[in-house]
């Protein structure tokens, strides 16, 4: 079987389209803005009689500029703040933080026991299987809206 | 050296080697440590009284005969407490029928916001064996002291966060046996699989 001379350029074009498609959208449907991608965005389902919630996610900064998460907003709660849990000799502390750095080439992990986006006074209890939008504000990348998946765990 | 002396020397060497080997084997066969921190010897836990949302008072001694997993927190806790309860839920499911011998007690150190009623609802959502209790400040402090735990209400923060004041608290889960003795303490962050392995060993050993 002989190789056609046209096959190589065709493959190049297909490859370019493929790469462009990969670049276009990060998981959770968020556009990759200034190198920031936000993945694995989830929240626990609301226990009854609790009006607080927490959103967890991972932010990767594949771009050349350091960035900083400066805030978040969501319609599901009256107020949204970024908090950090710390373990100080077996005693768990939680404090509001104003910013979370996401250095160039680095990432910021929001996971149970660490950073979390706190939902304060959730208007309707979150149920497993539901999804809701949350907007993240970055110093450099600007505003990114992603979808939160509510899980039963 | 005479043949007889050589023989005795060799025999001595063999016996030393065997004894040493025996010691090593015994050390290797010794039971591996628990993942949690073991109370050795088991430490008696002072009884304490709190409220579980019903008319009757809750006493830790009411749970005698059961294995109790107990930890401190508050329902406005968005991160640590739901995670701990989630892990405990996973462990209880994986314990299967043995879970019938386990009670889970969640003690709220924040009675100003956590009424017994609110606690009861919160706790029940994590499983039928989960009891939520709280009480007067002195009663809570007695329970906290019974386990050497700590907590603090950061009321100075109320102005900085819309969530009001936060409460720092011990992240440990305490394991109390059917005779009301502390046996194990699981530090925050320990994997559910490790908790499960330890409990199977502890509860299994008790027959």
């Amino acid at each position: 079987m002989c190789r056609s001379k046209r096959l190589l350029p065709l493959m190049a074009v297909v490859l370019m389209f493929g790469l462009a498609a990969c670049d276009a959208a990060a998981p959770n449907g968020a556009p990759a803005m200034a190198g920031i991608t936000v993945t694995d965005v989830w929240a626990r389902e609301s226990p009854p009689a609790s009006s607080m919630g927490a959103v967890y996610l991972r932010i990767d900064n594949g771009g050349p500029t350091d960035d900083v998460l400066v805030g978040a907003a969501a319609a599901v709660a009256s107020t949204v703040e970024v908090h950090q849990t710390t373990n100080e000799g077996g005693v768990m502390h939680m404090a509001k933080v104003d910013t979370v750095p996401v250095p160039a080439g680095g990432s910021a992990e929001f996971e149970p026991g660490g950073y979390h986006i706190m939902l304060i006074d959730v208007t309707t209890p979150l149920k497993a299987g539901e999804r809701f939008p949350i907007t993240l504000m970055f110093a450099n990348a600007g505003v990114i809206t992603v979808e939160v998946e509510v899980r039963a765990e | 050296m005479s043949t007889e002396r050589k023989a005795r020397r060799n025999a001595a060497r063999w016996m030393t080697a065997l004894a040493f080997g025996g010691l090593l084997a015994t050390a290797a066969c010794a039971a591996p440590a628990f993942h949690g921190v073991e109370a050795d010897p088991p430490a008696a836990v002072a009884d304490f009284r709190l409220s579980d949302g019903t008319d009757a008072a809750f006493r830790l001694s009411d749970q005698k005969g059961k294995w109790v997993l107990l930890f401190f927190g508050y329902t406005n806790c968005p991160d640590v407490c739901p995670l701990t309860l989630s892990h405990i839920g996973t462990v209880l499911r994986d314990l299967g029928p043995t879970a019938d011998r386990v009670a889970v007690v969640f003690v709220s150190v924040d009675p100003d916001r956590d009424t017994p009623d609110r606690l009861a609802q919160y706790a029940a959502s994590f499983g039928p064996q989960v009891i939520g209790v709280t009480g007067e400040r002195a009663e809570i402090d007695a329970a906290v002291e019974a386990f050497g735990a700590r907590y603090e209400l950061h009321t100075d923060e109320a102005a900085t966060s819309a969530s009001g004041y936060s409460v720092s608290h011990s992240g440990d889960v305490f394991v109390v046996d059917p005779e009301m003795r502390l046996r194990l303490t699981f530090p925050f962050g320990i994997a559910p699989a490790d908790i499960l392995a330890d409990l199977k060993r502890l509860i299994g050993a008790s027959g």
Side-chain angles (χ1 to χ4, degrees):
Chain A
M1 170 101 135
C2 64
R3 287 184 190 179
S4 160
K5 271 195 188 155
R6 278 190 268 167
L7 195 56
L8 266 174
L10 186 61
M11 278 167 62
V13 170
V14 169
L15 192 61
M16 269 172 60
F17 270 112
L19 283 174
C22 283
D23 248 358
N28 287 62
M33 313 258 288
I36 294 284
T37 47
V38 184
T39 53
D40 198 24
V41 191
W42 68 280
R44 233 184 235 105
E45 127 177 284
S46 300
S50 171
S51 58
M52 304 296 170
V55 175
Y56 305 103
L57 44 80
R58 185 193 162 93
I59 305 169
D60 283 288
N61 184 356
T65 316
D66 289 342
D67 211 341
V68 182
L69 178 75
V70 296
V76 297
S78 304
T79 313
V80 178
E81 293 175 359
V82 182
H83 282 241
Q84 185 185 21
T85 296
T86 51
N87 184 345
E88 284 160 45
V91 179
M92 310 307 297
H93 291 249
M94 190 183 71
K96 176 172 179 253
V97 297
D98 292 323
T99 58
V100 178
V102 194
S107 62
E109 193 81 60
F110 284 51
E111 55 190 357
Y115 285 116
H116 50 280
I117 300 183
M118 188 165 168
L119 305 172
I120 299 166
D121 291 328
V122 176
T123 47
T124 317
L126 307 176
K127 285 197 169 59
E130 285 178 349
R131 286 173 183 270
F132 64 89
I134 192 166
T135 299
L136 307 172
M137 284 88 91
F138 292 90
N140 184 52
V143 169
I144 299 179
T145 299
V146 292
E147 210 174 47
V148 185
E149 181 199 347
V150 181
R151 297 181 188 167
E153 54 186 271
Chain B
M1 202 189 280
S2 72
T3 318
E4 207 188 291
R5 276 188 71 186
K6 267 193 197 166
R8 271 208 292 270
R9 183 200 64 189
N10 286 340
R13 281 181 182 170
W14 270 110
M15 284 185 58
T16 312
L18 272 172
F20 191 60
L23 270 172
L24 273 178
T26 310
C29 292
F34 284 100
H35 296 99
V37 176
E38 194 184 1
D40 188 15
V45 178
D47 197 11
F48 54 82
R49 181 206 132 104
L50 288 166
S51 169
D52 62 0
T54 65
D55 288 331
F58 168 89
R59 284 182 197 278
L60 184 64
S61 49
D62 295 340
Q63 301 303 315
K64 256 189 184 174
K66 288 215 164 177
W67 289 85
V68 177
L69 301 179
L70 184 145
F71 69 103
F72 299 93
Y74 63 116
T75 69
N76 275 16
C77 178
D79 184 39
V80 171
C81 302
L83 177 69
T84 305
L85 280 161
S86 167
H87 281 172
I88 288 179
T90 302
V91 169
L92 290 177
R93 271 193 304 277
D94 293 344
L95 268 178
T98 309
D100 292 342
R101 302 172 59 186
V102 179
V104 181
V105 178
F106 172 55
V107 181
S108 169
V109 296
D110 188 18
D112 288 345
R113 293 185 296 196
D114 290 342
T115 60
D117 218 38
R118 176 187 171 115
L119 260 183
Q121 281 183 65
Y122 182 85
S125 72
F126 289 97
Q129 305 99 321
V130 185
I131 308 164
V133 294
T134 191
E136 303 292 320
R137 186 58 58 195
E139 294 171 325
I140 292 169
D141 288 349
V144 169
E145 199 179 305
F147 289 96
R150 285 173 289 161
Y151 75 96
E152 193 182 332
L153 303 177
H154 297 277
T155 43
D156 50 321
E157 271 169 32
T160 59
S161 168
S163 61
Y165 58 88
S166 71
V167 182
S168 49
H169 56 88
S170 296
D172 303 313
V173 174
F174 302 97
V175 182
V176 180
D177 73 13
E179 286 86 49
M180 261 182 73
R181 300 173 305 171
L182 177 69
R183 300 297 295 276
L184 278 184
T185 300
F186 293 121
F188 177 78
I190 194 171
D194 289 345
I195 298 177
L196 181 67
D198 280 3
L199 289 181
K200 276 183 169 168
R201 214 174 120 199
L202 252 192
I203 302 177
S206 70

